[in-house]
Every structure is written in structure tokens, then in C-alpha cells.
Amino acid sequence: MSGQPNDYGDVMSGPTRETRLVEALVTLADTLVGGYDLVELMHYLVDVSVELLDAAAAGLVLADGTGQLDVLASTSERTELLEVLQIRTGRGPCHDCYTTGEAQTIRDVAAEAVRWPQFAPLALEQGFRSVHAVPMRHRERTIGALNLFRSEPGELAEADRRAAQALADVATIGILQQRAARETTEVNEQLEFALTSRVVIEQAKGILAHYGGLTMDDAFSHLRRYARNHRLALTGIAQELVDRQRTPTEILPSGAGVIPRDSNPPFRG
Amino acid sequence: MQAIRTGPLCEPCLRLLPVTGVAVSTLSGPIHADTVCATDDTAFGLEEMQFDLGEGPCWEAFASRRPVSVPDLWLPEQPRWPLFAEAVRKTRARAFFAYPLSVGATAVGVMDLYCSTPGALNGPAEHEAGVLAGAVAAELLNRVLSAEDVDLMGGANAGRPSPWRDHPQDRRAIHQATGMLMAQLDLPVGAAFARLRGRAFASGVTVADVAAAVVARTLMLNGDS
């Protein structure tokens, strides 16, 4: 459907297009509910945009945690080049869309040569005459932009604008949700490590202390020396000892004063 | 390591709430429980009691992520925690309130409040306790995450008490004793810990007491007791 005239009704009947749009939204939602690969999702989003909307090409830029934009997906090398240019120069409709959080419409790229001396000529050279950029925004937070490039000058039809925004909105919520879940997982893992690593080391000391008839301090010294000599993480070795995947004999040097069993104190009450 | 502490955790809660004592503990699993601070021995003892028994309001609050309120600990209908309900009668606590400490989806521990007289917290106090729990959770999580990790190769901080704790007593001897029993009786960690717990319960002493004797090698648990 790419590059079709603005009056898409001539090309594709309304219900069919609406049905396919619903299908696309359902596919997006399904993908987001299950596990998904972010890059694949972004490629789906640009492909479906070109398929369903009046656009010759589509591209997607996304900001990372530090606000640095990156081209995540595009339907052609041509749009990718245009977006990279905008990111590098910090100028162009997609970049404006990201920084303002508002949709940007460029009806005629040829008229923007003064405003964007680098972007406009390159876009024309690639065969694009108009651009519509849709923000990927959730409340006050904009994380990127979905950019639609057309070979004809003019505006995108209202129905297409709303469809593009709906696709971008669903993807945005999915991305934000995934980021939040990842941050939570990282924090939970750090917390788990902080709360359990010392426990595991104490347990490992106890194992070595009993096995070698050592004081806790000596047991710890052996554990630490072994870790350093083998360039292994102390907590990792301790965990292996506790999980009984590593034996005390591996850690303790042979002859490290193993107390004969009968020298242990008698069993008490 | 002291630098990561920005202030006491328990005292502000005691000042602001109509309770007798406050304790804050980190929880991560049945073996990984540790009291960060306690305003008095009873508050500390109530934490230890719940850790030793493996049951009580703090575990329920932590698991359910909801506050647990016990306005009268002496009421007979406390079948949720039969061992705790019995043991707590030997303390001066009559009411108990456990608040889960979580930041977003991250649960870090509990804030436990006790009163020496029975009675529920009134509305404003309940609200205040919830707000304080949020602040304590954020501060505690920050302390734990900003503490230097145990040095990977075993630096100066490894083998020391957790740096985010204020309370002088730690449970390291319990973990050391667990390890000794693992080696002596050829048990996995959970079973060795259960043996310590069982001995403490049978003898009417704390797990820490049994652990101290095991580590001092004045007590040996035999293979089938």
C-alpha cells in the first residue's frame, strides 16, 4: 500500500482497512503481553505502518535511559539515513517530535530547505516529499517517535494520523512496561545478592571450620585465599560449598589440621 | 561503611507512633532474616522469635504485602501462628502490628511495632505508620543497595556483619552453625537449619543460643536426634 494516494478509500475499502488495523493492534497487544524482543516489535510497528497507512516508508527512533536517541527500526535504508542525520544534527521533524512530544507534519519538504538545510535536501533526494512524525508518548514522558515518509506532498488523512498514534501508543506502553519490569528485576537481584551473600559466606565458613577443625577466622582465611588464588568470586565459591557442588577438600590445603572425630567434645544433652 | 547510614531507622518511628517498641528487619527467605534495628530488647526478641519459629505476623505481612494488625496477642483465636501466639505470652507485648517494607515491586523487609497494652492503632496512627513504613522502606533499600558489595575476592568487608545494620547482635553464628551441621551430618542447608531450629524449640532456648554452643563446640547434635 505504500505510496498510494492520500485518498486510501479508493485503494482499500474502509472496513478491510479497519479490520487490518484492529488485527495489527491485537498483534501488538498480544506481543506485549507475552515476552517479546524489542527490536522485532519495532520492526513490526514500522512494517505495519507502511502496510496500513498512507506512507512510503516508516522509521522509528527511541531514546535510551540517558535521553540519547537511536534508530530502532526502519522500512528502508533511505529513512534510516534520514533519521541518523537528524539525530546527529539534532534537527529535523522526527527530532522535533521527540523533543516537543507533539506530532509534526511537514506538508512539503521542498519548502523547508531554510529551516532544515541538511535534512530537506537529503529527504528530497531519497524521494520523500512530506513527513508525519508521531510521538511515542505516555503522559508527560516521550520516549521516541514514529515517523512516516510519503512520496507526495500534503497532509496525512485524519484517520491515518489517529491510526498511527494508536499504533505508537500501544507500542509505547509496552516498552515502558518492559523497562519498568527490567528495572525491578535488576533491583530485586541486587537486593537478593546483598541480603544472601553474607549468609552464604558464613555457612561456608561453618562447613570448612567443622571439616578442618578450624576457627571461623581460619576457615575464612582459607576460603579467601582459595578465591584469590583461583581468581574466583568469594560468594560463588561459598555458594558452591553450600550447594555441595564443591567439597571442602578442594578449598583446604592437604593437612590443614583435620581434627580427628573423637577429639570433638562429647555430645551434650 | 558507616557513611551510608543517614540516621537511625527505628527511633523516629517510636517518637511518632503511640507504641512501646519498634524493630526493623530485612527478610528474603526463611533463612535470610536479620534485624536491622530495635528500640528495646523486647522488640528485638519478638523479631528473633518470629525468625526462630518461622511464623508470625512479620512473615504474613512480608508474604501478603499488607499490614497485619494484632490488637490483642492474648486472644485465644490466633490460629494463624500457634507457636508465636504461645511464645509471645512470655513477653511484655500485648498488641503487635507488622508493616511490610516495599518499594514498588521490591520487598525488602518488615517494620514491626508492639504495645505493652492491648488495643488497635487509631486511624491517624495507622495512617502515620503506613507513611513511615514507606519512608523506612526507601531508606533501608537505599542502605542495602548502596552498601559495598561483598568484595568478590574476599576484601575487608567480607565476613563482617551487614553494614546497613544498627543492631549490635547479628545472626552470623546461626549461619556458621548451619554450615558446621551440614559438614558434620552431611545435610543440605535447609535441613541443617531445621535441626538447629528443632533443637532450640525442644530446649526452650533461641536458635542463636544453640548456634553459639555449636560454634563454640560445646554442643554437638548427633545424627538422628
Side-chain angles (χ1 to χ4, degrees):
Chain A
M1 304 308 130
S2 50
Q4 294 298 340
N6 197 0
D7 184 9
Y8 56 80
D10 289 348
V11 185
M12 186 188 276
S13 67
T16 308
R17 182 174 172 282
E18 293 309 310
T19 308
R20 299 195 62 177
L21 182 60
V22 169
E23 276 170 15
L25 287 168
V26 168
T27 303
L28 267 179
D30 277 353
T31 314
L32 296 171
V33 169
Y36 65 91
D37 178 80
L38 181 67
V39 174
E40 247 178 68
L41 176 78
M42 299 300 104
H43 277 291
Y44 177 76
L45 189 62
V46 294
D47 286 345
V48 87
S49 297
V50 169
E51 185 195 332
L52 296 178
L53 309 174
D54 174 28
L60 196 144
V61 293
L62 212 56
D64 64 15
T66 63
Q68 177 62 47
L69 281 176
D70 197 8
V71 181
L72 258 270
S74 53
T75 51
S76 73
E77 291 292 324
R78 297 183 297 163
T79 60
E80 175 136 5
L81 189 64
L82 279 171
E83 274 153 358
V84 169
L85 173 76
Q86 294 185 67
I87 290 168
R88 218 174 276 157
T89 60
R91 304 191 65 182
C94 316
H95 192 273
D96 284 3
C97 179
Y98 167 69
T99 51
T100 63
E102 304 290 338
Q104 303 288 321
T105 297
I106 309 306
R107 290 181 189 80
D108 188 357
V109 172
E112 304 291 347
V114 177
R115 194 167 153 207
W116 293 312
Q118 287 173 291
F119 172 78
L122 188 63
L124 289 172
E125 191 187 309
Q126 310 289 343
F128 301 127
R129 293 296 306 275
S130 60
V131 184
H132 188 74
V134 175
M136 298 190 66
R137 191 181 68 187
H138 179 61
R139 300 210 177 94
E140 299 306 306
R141 190 170 166 198
T142 306
I143 59 168
L146 170 65
N147 311 298
L148 306 173
F149 298 88
R150 303 171 63 236
S151 357
E152 314 295 326
E155 274 188 26
L156 204 59
E158 171 67 14
D160 275 30
R161 285 209 295 265
R162 288 173 55 192
Q165 190 64 65
L167 289 167
D169 285 349
V170 172
T172 303
I173 290 165
I175 291 165
L176 287 176
Q177 194 265 345
Q178 190 205 39
R179 283 185 184 171
R182 199 174 51 213
E183 282 164 19
T184 298
T185 304
E186 280 171 15
V187 167
N188 282 341
E189 281 170 0
Q190 278 182 52
L191 178 67
E192 170 93 5
F193 180 81
L195 294 183
T196 60
S197 56
R198 283 179 169 77
V199 169
V200 168
I201 288 171
E202 298 306 329
Q203 290 164 343
K205 280 158 69 173
I207 292 171
L208 296 178
H210 177 85
Y211 192 86
L214 306 165
T215 65
M216 290 299 160
D217 282 348
D218 287 345
F220 183 57
S221 297
H222 283 299
L223 190 65
R224 175 147 65 176
R225 189 172 307 132
Y226 185 86
R228 285 185 175 158
N229 288 347
H230 292 79
R231 303 196 145 275
L232 292 167
L234 188 69
T235 42
I237 297 169
Q239 188 70 60
E240 286 170 18
L241 265 173
V242 170
D243 292 341
R244 304 200 283 179
Q245 291 161 353
R246 195 183 279 271
T247 61
T249 44
E250 291 173 54
I251 313 291
L252 298 177
S254 51
V258 176
I259 297 179
R261 283 295 160 93
D262 56 11
S263 77
N264 276 319
F267 171 68
R268 194 189 76 173
Chain B
M1 294 307 294
Q2 302 296 318
I4 61 163
R5 293 182 188 164
T6 56
L9 279 179
C10 287
E11 279 75 11
C13 302
L14 184 61
R15 263 201 317 277
L16 293 166
L17 296 171
V19 298
T20 312
V22 178
V24 168
S25 297
T26 53
L27 298 181
S28 179
I31 296 179
H32 308 104
D34 208 6
T35 299
V36 175
C37 63
T39 54
D40 62 68
D41 289 347
T42 301
F44 180 79
L46 288 164
E47 300 299 276
E48 193 174 26
M49 185 185 290
Q50 296 179 85
F51 299 165
D52 286 1
L53 297 173
E55 64 169 44
C58 84
W59 292 111
E60 188 178 315
F62 184 69
S64 69
R65 304 281 182 96
R66 302 187 68 85
V68 173
S69 168
V70 192
D72 190 349
L73 289 164
W74 288 10
L75 279 184
E77 57 267 27
Q78 299 294 350
R80 288 189 284 188
W81 325 288
L83 302 176
F84 174 76
E86 191 190 319
V88 81
R89 281 174 170 261
K90 296 179 192 122
T91 73
R92 66 193 194 107
R94 283 298 306 271
F96 197 85
F97 311 98
Y99 283 82
L101 298 179
S102 52
V103 179
T106 301
V108 63
V110 285
M111 177 177 82
D112 282 346
L113 316 170
Y114 85 90
C115 297
S116 54
T117 52
L121 290 178
N122 63 27
E126 205 168 31
H127 176 75
E128 185 79 350
V131 172
L132 282 169
V136 169
E139 169 64 16
L140 182 57
L141 184 64
N142 187 40
R143 275 193 192 188
V144 174
L145 293 184
S146 60
E148 282 171 47
D149 278 342
V150 172
D151 185 302
L152 287 183
M153 299 299 172
N157 296 315
R160 289 195 181 169
S162 313
W164 52 83
R165 302 175 71 264
D166 292 336
H167 202 272
Q169 265 171 275
D170 65 60
R171 293 171 68 81
R172 287 189 303 156
I174 293 173
H175 309 310
Q176 293 165 359
T178 302
M180 289 177 71
L181 287 185
M182 288 177 69
Q184 183 205 333
L185 304 176
D186 192 26
L187 291 173
V189 62
F193 183 67
R195 289 296 301 277
L196 278 182
R197 220 182 216 175
R199 167 48 66 99
F201 187 71
S203 312
V205 296
T206 66
V207 174
D209 290 336
V210 176
V214 169
V215 170
R217 295 180 163 96
T218 57
L219 169 65
M220 275 191 74
L221 303 184
N222 63 20
D224 44 31
S225 74

